[in-house]
Amino acid sequence: MVPLQILVIAFSLTLAPGYGAGAAVPRSVNTVETVAEWLQLEYGFATDQDRENAEAAGNLVPANGTPIDVQPQYFSNGTMRLFTTIPRFVSGVPYTLATVSATNGTNGPLLQPYPSYDWHNDNGDDCDRITSVYRVSITECNQMWVMDTGAIGTTKYCTPQLLQFDLNTDTLLHRYRFPNNTYTPDASLFITPSVLVQDPAPEGSCNSTMVYVADVTFHGLVVYDHEAQTSWRVENRFMYPNPDYGKHTIANETFYLMDGMFALTNDKSNLYFHPMATASEFAVPLSELNNQTNWANNPEALPEQFTELGSRGSECAASAIDGKNNIYCVTFNPIQLIMWNVNSTYDSENLVVLPAEADELQFVSGMKVVENAEGQEELWLISNRFQKIAEGTLDFSEVNFRILRRNLDDVQ
Ligand SMILES: *[C@@H]1O[C@H](CO)[C@@H](O)[C@H](O)[C@H]1NC(C)=O
Ligand SMILES: *[C@@H]1O[C@H](CO)[C@@H](O)[C@H](O)[C@H]1NC(C)=O
Ligand SMILES: *[C@@H]1O[C@H](CO)[C@@H](O)[C@H](O)[C@H]1NC(C)=O
Ligand SMILES: *[C@@H]1O[C@H](CO)[C@@H](O)[C@H](O)[C@H]1NC(C)=O
Ligand SMILES: *[C@@H]1O[C@H](CO)[C@@H](O)[C@H](O)[C@H]1NC(C)=O
Ligand SMILES: *[C@@H]1O[C@H](CO)[C@@H](O)[C@H](O)[C@H]1NC(C)=O
Ligand SMILES: *[C@@H]1O[C@H](CO)[C@@H](O)[C@H](O)[C@H]1NC(C)=O
């Protein structure tokens, strides 16, 4: 397949169709700035006892930790709290959900366990705690949904669960354990939650919430209806990895990974999604996904409702959507931050490349759009050198992990 020639924006922002010809050209193009960086993760603990417990459990091997997701929480006074996740795809990870503190360690800022160290399931023996988290999602209700896989490495210790935390009090509001008809214990891995709050505060109760979950290794989607306390499985051929894109090259290094269903975003009307091993983007209407009757007898129902939108010519991992329905993603080869508006066709005309340093982006495994205290939207990214992690060639004398931020006012 011939890679698409993607439109590059330089200093005078070239506006893609969909932004309207003749729209005011922004004064300047924003840059991507580094907020935090690590040579290797630095684990902090509230007490020496917590650190000793982590060591005793064999869970303090800093070289094993890879940060995968980022999620900022802005307070009304303009300060913020930054969350990250460290999934336990290997052992040696003392906690899997963390905040990034303001204290610097030797290799980068110190992490702190969230909500506390004793919430973390040391070796898979307490399923009421958190076992392993790839990604989280904070809603407009100031609640954080945490997708816990229940697995350490390839061993499934616990039922996958969604945890809903109140970020005002840092307490658990709700726990949902997925029923066994929504996954296959030996094969499924729930990695990404995309949340839709249909009754946001202050008017609404935030109870009418849907969470769409990607099953990366058993190639499906699970829809969780919070109000009805039920969930169902949806499968479609577009959720499978494409073997033509199972070999990945990032910054001249190659690895193989047949990851299926990976990134999910929604604009309140459609779910946009892609497996990792593909160059295409896909969509399905939420109205169909949200109707449990459609899928009750057959998770592979309604194949005609799923659309292949188009190709970007390269794989990308995480995605995020802003309030103007622009979806962002970082392609592997070449490494580029791209933006596409859902109202336009998914083609080279409408895929806009935003300036960014390829060396800083590398593999972007987590991405969010958040509103800051001034009401402006920002794109947040977390990058790691996954191509080196996959090949075991990580070099801890260089910066391996970065949290990056970009204001979006110029492109909106
Ligand atoms: C800002 O608000 C947060 C949350 O209420 C609080 O924890 C923090 O101390 C405040 N910071 C300042 C500088 O006022
Ligand atoms: C931590 O390190 C960063 C980068 O070197 C620096 O910008 C920041 O000021 C340091 N923070 C503190 C609290 O020392
Ligand atoms: C799923 O759980 C139900 C209720 O606990 C149980 O009866 C059933 O055997 C389980 N099915 C499988 C496939 O494990
Ligand atoms: C929302 O859900 C909570 C917890 O399930 C419940 O206590 C509350 O009454 C619900 N609120 C509304 C308006 O339904
Ligand atoms: C990839 O290899 C080419 C050719 O050797 C080199 O010019 C380029 O700088 C390399 N890129 C990176 C990101 O290492
Ligand atoms: C849900 O789907 C079923 C068919 O699968 C249909 O009969 C029903 O009208 C739909 N419900 C809504 C609210 O659209
Ligand atoms: C996209 O299309 C919808 C429906 O036609 C319209 O309401 C919305 O304003 C459009 N958004 C943008 C960013 O053009």
Side-chain angles (χ1 to χ4, degrees):
M1 185 166 293
V2 181
L4 290 174
Q5 272 306 112
I6 292 177
L7 191 71
V8 180
I9 58 167
F11 291 102
S12 70
L13 192 74
T14 309
L15 296 169
Y19 290 94
V25 174
R27 289 178 302 277
S28 61
V29 175
N30 293 335
T31 53
V32 176
E33 61 175 301
T34 301
V35 175
E37 59 182 36
W38 291 267
L39 309 181
Q40 185 174 87
L41 288 183
E42 287 275 353
Y43 295 105
F45 293 89
T47 65
D48 289 342
Q49 187 61 53
D50 284 352
R51 177 178 288 274
E52 282 164 27
N53 291 349
E55 268 168 0
N59 277 333
L60 192 50
V61 185
N64 289 6
T66 304
I68 287 289
D69 202 10
V70 62
Q71 175 77 67
Q73 175 201 8
Y74 273 104
F75 300 114
S76 52
N77 61 17
T79 66
M80 61 146 197
R81 182 160 64 161
L82 201 48
F83 294 92
T84 189
T85 60
I86 312 106
R88 289 168 143 171
F89 39 70
V90 283
S91 61
V93 174
Y95 43 85
T96 181
L97 176 59
T99 54
V100 180
S101 78
T103 308
N104 284 335
T106 314
N107 295 305
L110 240 59
L111 302 177
Q112 288 293 340
Y114 184 86
S116 61
Y117 178 69
D118 59 11
W119 250 101
H120 292 264
N121 186 11
D122 266 354
N123 287 312
D125 42 18
D126 184 351
C127 296
D128 285 344
R129 302 186 187 189
I130 307 174
T131 304
S132 180
V133 179
Y134 283 72
R135 292 182 187 80
V136 299
S137 178
I138 292 182
T139 67
E140 49 272 68
C141 302
N142 206 30
Q143 296 168 352
M144 182 161 67
W145 289 91
V146 175
M147 184 62 244
D148 179 3
T149 66
I152 301 176
T154 53
T155 308
K156 307 289 158 57
Y157 289 96
C158 302
T159 301
Q161 59 178 346
L162 269 172
L163 301 168
Q164 181 194 26
F165 284 97
D166 179 351
L167 294 181
N168 297 312
T169 57
D170 296 329
T171 54
L172 184 70
L173 289 173
H174 191 72
R175 178 198 307 271
Y176 181 75
R177 289 194 170 96
F178 283 91
N180 61 8
N181 58 0
T182 60
Y183 69 102
T184 299
D186 290 337
S188 293
L189 193 69
F190 289 175
I191 59 163
T192 311
S194 171
V195 182
L196 170 65
V197 181
Q198 295 167 307
D199 63 339
E203 298 81 21
S205 71
C206 302
N207 280 3
S208 179
T209 292
M210 308 294 293
V211 186
Y212 309 94
V213 176
D215 183 350
V216 66
T217 46
F218 206 55
H219 319 317
L221 173 75
V222 175
V223 180
Y224 165 60
D225 182 334
H226 181 51
E227 199 157 37
Q229 282 301 294
T230 186
S231 58
W232 53 93
R233 196 170 165 94
V234 174
E235 295 178 4
N236 180 266
R237 64 193 175 106
F238 294 141
M239 298 174 184
Y240 285 73
N242 176 347
D244 293 344
Y245 290 95
K247 178 182 179 181
H248 312 282
T249 300
I250 299 177
N252 290 344
E253 283 185 73
T254 295
F255 64 102
Y256 296 84
L257 188 62
M258 282 289 282
D259 263 5
M261 196 60 161
F262 198 95
L264 312 176
T265 51
N266 78 77
D267 64 354
K268 300 183 164 59
S269 303
N270 291 289
L271 185 79
Y272 300 90
F273 67 91
H274 60 256
M276 191 175 110
T278 184
S280 298
E281 193 69 19
F282 305 93
V284 59
L286 295 182
S287 56
E288 301 294 357
L289 290 180
N290 293 351
N291 181 346
Q292 184 172 14
T293 314
N294 284 336
W295 318 97
N297 299 318
N298 179 15
E300 293 181 277
L302 305 182
E304 299 304 324
Q305 291 292 333
F306 293 80
T307 315
E308 181 168 8
L309 298 168
S311 173
R312 65 184 90 82
S314 172
E315 313 88 297
C316 73
S319 283
I321 189 165
D322 70 15
K324 300 278 194 273
N325 296 339
N326 298 308
I327 295 181
Y328 302 85
C329 194
V330 171
T331 55
F332 289 8
N333 191 20
I335 299 172
Q336 290 178 323
L337 172 58
I338 61 169
M339 175 182 87
W340 168 73
N341 187 273
V342 303
N343 278 18
S344 63
T345 45
Y346 201 90
D347 61 19
S348 55
E349 292 270 291
N350 296 308
L351 293 172
V352 178
V353 177
L354 303 176
E357 295 294 329
D359 186 53
E360 291 178 359
L361 294 182
Q362 301 271 332
F363 179 88
V364 172
S365 56
M367 208 189 256
K368 298 284 173 0
V369 171
V370 294
E371 205 176 89
N372 64 25
E374 286 81 51
Q376 288 167 345
E377 284 191 319
E378 300 175 344
L379 180 68
W380 285 74
L381 313 102
I382 189 160
S383 79
N384 56 60
R385 298 177 188 264
F386 194 78
Q387 69 278 13
K388 288 181 175 289
I389 296 162
E391 294 298 297
T393 57
L394 213 53
D395 172 0
F396 289 116
S397 70
E398 60 182 1
V399 174
N400 288 301
F401 316 124
R402 290 183 176 86
I403 292 178
L404 307 158
R405 166 173 63 187
R406 186 195 193 283
N407 287 328
L408 294 177
D409 53 349
D410 59 339
V411 294
Q412 292 180 339

